[in-house]
Amino acid sequence: MPVDMFNLTTRFLSQRPQAQVQQNIQFAVFSNPELSCPGQMLNDMQFPDQVIIARKSDVGDTDILVEMYAQWVPAQRIIVLPNPLSAELGNIITSVMAGLKITVMNVISSYCEKVGANFNHVKQMLGRDYRFEDAFMESTLGIGGPDLLKDIVYCKDALQNVGLVTEAKLFSDIIRLDKKKREHFVQLMLNNMSTLAGKRVAVYGVTYKSNMADLTNSPAVSVCKALQKEWAIIRIYDPLRDENAILNCFRNRVRVGVVADPQQAYQGAHAILFLVNTNLQHNFQQMRAAMVEPPFLFFAYRLNVNYDALRLQGFQVHIFGNQE
């Protein structure tokens, strides 16, 4: 929801043709932003950290909304603000801060990879600090989903529109660094495989995050498109979405296939990419026997496996962001 929607709605209702308005009917507009995380909406509605209700200080009575929420939300978590613009901006900034946290952690993981530090050790130190929380502390392929990136782009444009060009650069840099993270993953593959042209690549997971059947702005799809440009042959498996939904993400479907059986993905593959956790129990011995020599495994997230044991089996193992 863009900033100033409260005023736009108020003006729209005030300017309705008189013929459509019953006489003596009054209205009040409230801002009640949705502060929920995709995939956890029901839980966030039942157990919200906060409920924001905003109105103009001299218009409308918030008691009805407050009483409704008070049926299940503790009173101290229901906050009434006299400025709807504050509520609308705060709603967008929550997404921006989450996206900023993701980007910062991805920058740290890239630095760990360069200097040989262990990203998990750094993450654990941050997670134990009372000033931080564990959420959005993983190294990932970047920002995905319907909200976070959209709100970051909105803030960039909004700052530019009011002349705050230098401040807008902060958000431009977040977008640029987010894109660079996926480019870095493809470069990791190129550095180790020399070329991807004609190579068969199995991909596990392409939704924008684990346990979410949403492909909106999926970083994993972006990686697959980059592999296309390198002339790789891609076979995708994701149990949460069907073939048509996944293929609709690709304007050019050349050398891209979707399989319903996870074993079909790695038959004759040169590399397997674990981009999003699909909660599968992987049989690495079967994978090893079905792959072309030398077999490569690339992990975009930390999977609960013994990487050294995989190396002893003959795999070339690479963990993105040094998360081993």
Side-chain angles (χ1 to χ4, degrees):
M1 180 178 68
V3 172
D4 209 32
M5 184 56 71
F6 177 94
N7 290 327
L8 289 172
T9 304
T10 302
R11 285 198 295 271
F12 173 78
L13 293 174
S14 300
Q15 294 170 3
R16 290 178 300 171
Q18 288 298 317
Q20 298 178 14
V21 182
Q22 297 182 29
Q23 291 186 352
N24 301 321
I25 289 204
Q26 297 180 334
F27 68 88
V29 179
F30 301 98
S31 182
N32 181 209
E34 172 200 328
L35 300 169
S36 62
C37 179
Q40 301 186 49
M41 192 168 292
L42 288 177
N43 184 72
D44 290 346
M45 285 293 292
Q46 286 182 294
F47 309 103
D49 294 327
Q50 58 181 335
V51 172
I52 305 297
I53 303 169
R55 62 180 176 91
K56 293 287 189 182
S57 57
D58 57 344
V59 179
D61 188 348
T62 59
D63 288 348
I64 295 175
L65 274 177
V66 171
E67 290 171 6
M68 180 188 76
Y69 280 113
Q71 299 298 312
W72 76 93
V73 180
Q76 66 270 22
R77 295 190 180 185
I78 303 174
I79 302 168
V80 178
L81 299 178
N83 189 334
L85 280 173
S86 301
E88 292 165 354
L89 181 59
N91 187 33
I92 289 175
I93 294 301
T94 55
S95 294
V96 172
M97 291 299 291
L100 179 60
K101 196 172 183 181
I102 291 171
T103 303
V104 169
M105 296 309 292
N106 281 336
V107 169
I108 291 171
S109 74
S110 295
Y111 185 69
C112 288
E113 203 169 34
K114 288 286 187 183
V115 301
N118 189 303
F119 173 76
N120 281 319
H121 296 164
V122 177
K123 184 187 74 172
Q124 287 166 10
M125 291 174 63
L126 291 171
R128 294 189 188 105
D129 193 310
Y130 72 93
R131 294 170 297 176
F132 306 103
E133 295 180 356
D134 288 340
F136 299 102
M137 293 277 276
E138 299 292 338
S139 174
T140 69
L141 288 171
I143 302 168
D147 297 321
L148 296 189
L149 195 59
K150 169 179 64 66
D151 289 341
I152 292 169
V153 172
Y154 176 86
C155 284
K156 174 184 73 71
D157 293 341
L159 288 167
Q160 288 176 338
N161 289 339
V162 297
L164 297 174
V165 177
T166 302
E167 289 80 354
K169 189 176 182 298
L170 168 65
F171 297 95
S172 297
D173 287 343
I174 294 173
I175 297 166
R176 179 179 56 81
L177 288 169
D178 180 66
K179 181 181 179 183
K180 185 178 179 182
K181 191 67 177 180
R182 294 181 284 283
E183 294 171 351
H184 181 193
F185 184 87
V186 176
Q187 190 60 50
L188 175 68
M189 294 182 66
L190 287 168
N191 290 345
N192 288 280
M193 297 180 67
S194 299
T195 180
L196 293 172
K199 299 293 178 70
R200 293 183 177 274
V201 178
V203 174
Y204 285 100
V206 287
T207 57
Y208 86 86
K209 71 174 182 177
S210 179
N211 300 317
M212 284 290 293
D214 191 344
L215 294 159
T216 307
N217 297 324
S218 168
V221 171
S222 296
V223 168
C224 290
K225 290 178 178 178
L227 296 178
Q228 266 189 305
K229 294 179 180 178
E230 297 294 335
W231 296 90
I233 302 167
I234 306 161
R235 294 294 176 266
I236 298 169
Y237 172 77
D238 194 311
L240 296 181
R241 297 310 302 260
D242 60 27
E243 180 179 5
N244 287 335
I246 294 172
L247 289 179
N248 284 338
C249 297
F250 296 86
R251 184 178 300 175
N252 177 9
R253 300 177 183 181
V254 176
R255 300 184 307 282
V256 177
V258 178
V259 298
D261 183 343
Q263 294 183 16
Q264 289 180 305
Y266 60 72
Q267 293 295 326
H270 296 82
I272 301 177
L273 313 188
F274 299 89
L275 300 186
V276 180
N277 193 350
T278 56
N279 299 311
L280 284 177
Q281 294 297 317
H282 299 287
N283 188 326
F284 288 98
Q285 283 187 328
Q286 283 187 0
M287 289 179 173
R288 177 74 177 82
M291 294 177 69
V292 175
E293 294 285 347
F296 287 87
L297 301 179
F298 294 91
F299 296 88
Y301 60 92
R302 188 166 182 258
L303 193 63
N304 188 25
V305 296
N306 186 328
Y307 296 115
D308 287 333
L310 293 178
R311 292 185 178 102
L312 289 175
Q313 290 182 42
F315 287 108
Q316 302 288 317
V317 180
H318 301 279
I319 302 96
F320 191 45
N322 212 25
Q323 302 180 70
E324 191 168 350

